Amino acid sequence: MPRAGRVTVAGLSSPVIEAGPSDATEAVVFVHGNPGSSTDWTALVDATGELGRAVAFDMPGFGRADKPPGFDYQVSAYAEFLQGALAELGIERVHLVVHDFGGPFGLLWGLQHPQAWASVVLINVGIMPGYTWHTMARRWRTPVLGELIQAWIPRSGWRRAMQKANPKGLPPEFVDKMYDDYDRGTRRAVLKLYRATPEPGKTAGDLGAAIAQLHKPALVVWGAKDPFIGVEYAERQREFFEVQDVAILQESGHWPFQDDPQGAAQAILPFLRAQLNAAAPV
């Protein structure tokens, strides 16, 4: 099992799980989305620890991280937190593994720190020209309606909704952990984050062009039955990254590393092994 600890950035405390050599300055950094936490990645962090250093954080407002009302819940603030956490842990060269909203968090960080950014695994996320918000995101972005939706969420309804949206089925303990973490602080964070984030499809042009200039090695892993971000965006990542492979998990939904952990690991670990073994540019 990964080691558990906490990291503090600008007074904000967050859980961190870690495996592999704790003093290595090169690491695989797993960035979760919404809803999520570092424990989404427990199995992959543990397995990656056999290859090198691996870490995952609870991002502010999520999991068991601090959820202060005054935090600036927008992508740029999360990228800044990520850099602060990496500095606290002495990590200087990063192989990103990002999922869902972890994509914007991590990719903006990468654009801001291109020398530190070595490679990326994109899991059901990426640069998505023309993408429009899914139904629940549009509701969260709507004043009053979003607050009403977040006001009362029964566990039974949560379980039904999560399993309906993921036809292969998610581990019940994973679904319940997400529900337990989805407290008032996280619900408030979600509304602020979605309302502060522009339509992804409208910002994809400039962001994609900037990333394409960096020629970063990438692996794309996609659950084909994701109801939130269509699988048609998987191959499009070749326009923006030096994609080594695209692994489509045909029966998986939005969380392929949870509903098909073996299939996801078989795609991800060889890529990470190759990237960790590659010489850093001089």
Side-chain angles (χ1 to χ4, degrees):
M1 289 293 291
R3 303 180 297 274
R6 293 190 75 89
V7 64
T8 300
V9 178
L12 195 155
S13 176
S14 173
V16 57
I17 61 173
E18 186 169 359
S22 59
D23 59 348
T25 59
E26 180 178 27
V28 178
V29 178
F30 294 81
V31 188
H32 70 77
N34 165 55
S37 71
S38 58
T39 60
D40 294 3
W41 304 112
T42 298
L44 278 171
V45 167
D46 194 37
T48 304
E50 298 295 320
L51 310 177
R53 190 177 184 185
V55 301
F57 316 100
D58 286 15
M59 300 302 276
F62 294 92
R64 303 300 167 88
D66 288 347
K67 306 173 183 182
F71 181 76
D72 188 9
Y73 293 99
Q74 59 178 318
V75 172
S76 58
Y78 282 96
E80 185 176 346
F81 170 84
L82 183 56
Q83 175 59 20
L86 296 173
E88 286 293 313
L89 294 174
I91 297 171
E92 300 173 359
R93 179 172 165 82
V94 173
H95 304 273
L96 289 171
V97 180
V98 297
H99 171 251
D100 188 81
F101 239 114
F105 301 159
L107 295 178
L108 180 58
W109 171 86
L111 278 173
Q112 294 171 341
H113 303 88
Q115 296 304 313
W117 181 21
S119 69
V120 63
V121 177
L122 301 161
I123 305 178
N124 287 61
V125 76
I127 307 301
M128 299 175 293
Y131 177 79
T132 57
W133 290 114
H134 57 81
T135 300
M136 185 56 72
R138 292 197 298 271
R139 292 171 180 169
W140 286 331
R141 285 168 58 83
T142 303
V144 182
L145 177 60
E147 280 77 5
L148 290 172
I149 290 171
Q150 299 283 45
W152 185 67
I153 305 172
R155 185 182 296 270
S156 58
W158 177 276
R159 287 171 171 167
R160 285 195 301 271
M162 292 297 295
Q163 298 297 7
K164 182 179 179 182
N166 293 273
K168 189 176 176 66
L170 292 168
E173 61 274 14
F174 172 69
V175 173
D176 279 344
K177 172 64 164 56
M178 282 198 295
Y179 180 84
D180 292 339
D181 289 341
Y182 203 67
D183 59 14
R184 291 189 182 278
T186 295
R187 298 176 197 185
R188 179 180 62 238
V190 168
L191 295 182
K192 290 185 176 182
L193 175 61
Y194 275 80
R195 290 171 183 178
T197 304
E199 194 88 39
K202 295 180 179 178
T203 59
D206 292 342
L207 183 63
I211 286 178
Q213 293 179 7
L214 300 178
H215 303 285
K216 294 300 179 181
L219 169 69
V220 179
V221 179
W222 216 283
K225 294 186 177 178
D226 187 337
F228 308 115
I229 310 175
V231 69
E232 66 270 16
Y233 290 105
E235 286 288 345
R236 293 211 62 179
Q237 302 315 306
R238 297 185 187 278
E239 301 172 28
F240 312 108
F241 301 91
E242 298 296 319
V243 174
Q244 309 296 303
D245 194 15
V246 176
I248 305 298
L249 302 181
Q250 294 293 342
E251 301 304 315
S252 287
H254 187 60
W255 285 270
F257 52 95
Q258 287 291 331
D259 70 16
D260 187 2
Q262 183 176 359
Q266 287 175 346
I268 293 168
L269 294 176
F271 173 81
L272 293 178
R273 181 183 291 110
Q275 295 305 314
L276 286 164
N277 290 336
V282 176

